[in-house]
Amino acid sequence: MRPLPEPSAQSLRLLFLFIFVMGVAPSPALTAGCPHGCVCDDQLLVVQCAGQELTRFPNDLPLATRQLIISNNRIGDLPPLQLNYLSDLVYLDCSNNSLTEISESTFGNLRKLAYLDLSFNTLLQIEDRTFGPLASLVMLRLTDNPGLGEIHSDAFSENVALQVLDVSRNNLTTLNISGLIALPALRSLGLSGNPWKCDCDTEDLCLWMNKLEGITADQSQKICYSPPELAGQRLSEVGMQLRADCHHGLGYWDYLFFIAIGFVIFSAGTVLRLTVAPGAEI
Ligand SMILES: *[C@@H]1O[C@H](CO)[C@@H](O)[C@H](O)[C@H]1NC(C)=O
Ligand SMILES: *[C@@H]1O[C@H](CO)[C@@H](O)[C@H](O)[C@H]1NC(C)=O
Ligand SMILES: *[C@@H]1O[C@H](CO)[C@@H](O)[C@H](O)[C@H]1NC(C)=O
C-alpha cells in the first residue's frame, strides 16, 4: 500500500486560513444561530418552529430566512420590526396562533412574500392597506378566525399578484368587492362558512358570484344566513332578487319629479337661447 502523501506546509496553511475565515465571518444565514425551540435548515433557509408552545415571535431569526413556520403556537402578535428584518421571506405560516391584530406596518418590508397563512387565529378585522406592501403575494389564507367580521374594501387592492384568497369560516356578513374585482390574477376565492347577510350591502357580491367565470368558487357552500326569507339560499341565486329589491321601480311621485326637472331644464335652455345673441358661442 502506498502511503498517503504528506500534506504540504502550504496546503495546511491554506486549510487553517480557510477555517479561520469561516469561523470569523460565517454566512449571514449562520450568524444568528437558530432560535430556541426551532429547527433551522441553513441550506434551504427554512426555520421550523411549529407546535413549540411559543407565546412570542421567535428572537434572533437568521436574516436570510426564506421560509418561516410558526404555526400551532400561542403567539399573540407579529412584531413589525423583527418580522421586517426578514426581507427575503417568501413563505410565512402563522396559522393556529393567537394573533388579534395585524396592520399596514406588520408586513411593511416583505416584498418577496408569496405565501401567507393567517388561518386559525383570533383576528377581528382587516384594515385598509393591511397587505399593501406585499407586491409578490400569490396565496393568502385567512380562514377560521371566528370573530373576523370586517375586511376593508381596499385590504387587498394592491396585491396585484394575488391568485388564491380564502376567507372561509370567519364571521363576515358582507364583503365589499370593489378591490377584489380589480385584481388581475385572482383565480380562486373561498367564501364559504360565513354568516352572509343577503341585503343591499351584499348585492354586488351576490351578482359577482354569477359572473365569476375563470374563478373557482364552490357555490354550494356560499349561502345566505340572514334575513330569514333568504336564509339557506346560495349567494349566486339571490343576486337578481337583491338587485330588484334594492333599486325599486320608479313610483308616481318619481315620474312627476322627473317631468318637473325636465321642464325646468327645457325652460332654462329656451331662455338661454333667446337671451344669447345669435352667433355667440355658448
Ligand atoms: C393548533 O395547535 C394546537 C397546539 O399545537 C393543536 O393541539 C391543535 O390541534 C391545532 N389546531 C389546528 C386546527 O391545527
Ligand atoms: C359575529 O358577529 C356578530 C355580529 O355581527 C356578533 O354578535 C358575534 O358575537 C360575532 N361572533 C364572534 C364569534 O365573535
Ligand atoms: C365599497 O368600497 C368602495 C371603495 O372603498 C366604496 O366607494 C363603495 O361605496 C363601497 N360599497 C359599499 C356597498 O359599501
Side-chain angles (χ1 to χ4, degrees):
M1 226 172 104
R2 222 154 27 108
L4 287 171
E6 287 274 309
S8 71
Q10 172 73 7
S11 57
L12 267 184
R13 254 203 306 277
L14 273 178
L15 182 67
F16 282 127
L17 186 68
F18 181 71
I19 290 170
F20 177 74
V21 168
M22 281 304 286
V24 170
S27 75
L30 299 166
T31 10
C34 193
H36 181 71
C38 303
V39 176
C40 300
D41 184 326
D42 296 330
Q43 240 74 60
L44 298 172
L45 306 171
V46 175
V47 179
Q48 165 66 269
C49 316
Q52 296 300 311
E53 301 186 344
L54 301 178
T55 53
R56 294 174 54 187
F57 188 76
N59 270 327
D60 303 325
L61 286 160
L63 289 183
T65 304
R66 287 170 62 85
Q67 190 168 339
L68 175 60
I69 299 150
I70 53 172
S71 55
N72 303 350
N73 286 296
R74 295 194 304 268
I75 297 170
D77 74 325
L78 295 175
L81 204 60
Q82 292 175 50
L83 186 58
N84 286 301
Y85 269 124
L86 310 176
S87 56
D88 284 334
L89 207 59
V90 172
Y91 183 104
L92 176 59
D93 183 354
C94 308
S95 62
N96 195 13
N97 275 288
S98 310
L99 301 175
T100 51
E101 212 180 295
I102 46 171
S103 70
E104 189 181 347
S105 58
T106 307
F107 306 111
N109 193 33
L110 304 182
R111 291 175 201 289
K112 296 182 186 168
L113 195 71
Y115 177 90
L116 176 60
D117 195 341
L118 294 166
S119 300
F120 294 96
N121 276 285
T122 49
L123 297 169
L124 297 175
Q125 60 172 357
I126 302 293
E127 282 165 18
D128 189 10
R129 301 175 53 83
T130 295
F131 305 106
L134 305 179
S136 307
L137 193 65
V138 171
M139 184 183 281
L140 174 56
R141 296 185 43 78
L142 192 53
T143 73
D144 302 279
N145 282 255
L148 180 54
E150 200 184 321
I151 294 181
H152 192 279
S153 59
D154 291 330
F156 316 110
S157 54
E158 287 166 54
N159 305 117
V160 290
L162 193 63
Q163 293 184 18
V164 179
L165 173 64
D166 197 347
V167 295
S168 301
R169 297 173 301 280
N170 293 311
N171 197 22
L172 299 170
T173 53
T174 182
L175 182 66
N176 185 326
I177 57 164
S178 63
L180 291 179
I181 283 181
L183 292 180
L186 193 66
R187 58 176 176 76
S188 172
L189 178 64
L191 298 169
S192 61
N194 281 288
W196 298 113
K197 186 175 177 195
C198 294
D199 61 8
C200 298
D201 282 343
T202 36
E203 179 198 348
D204 288 347
L205 175 65
C206 295
L207 286 169
W208 194 43
M209 286 293 106
N210 281 316
K211 292 189 204 133
L212 292 177
E213 278 160 16
I215 298 186
T216 5
D218 177 13
Q219 307 284 8
S220 63
Q221 295 291 311
K222 295 164 187 171
I223 55 179
C224 304
Y225 181 78
S226 66
E229 62 271 23
L230 295 180
Q233 295 202 41
R234 292 177 188 184
L235 295 185
S236 55
E237 285 165 353
V238 301
M240 292 314 285
Q241 183 178 338
L242 287 178
R243 171 177 272 186
D245 291 352
C246 297
H247 308 274
H248 295 287
L250 297 179
Y252 176 74
W253 287 105
D254 297 316
Y255 283 114
L256 269 191
F257 177 75
F258 282 120
I259 289 170
I261 288 285
F263 183 72
V264 168
I265 292 172
F266 172 76
S267 321
T270 311
V271 169
L272 202 60
R273 237 192 336 269
L274 291 175
T275 51
V276 173
E281 284 190 18
I282 300 173

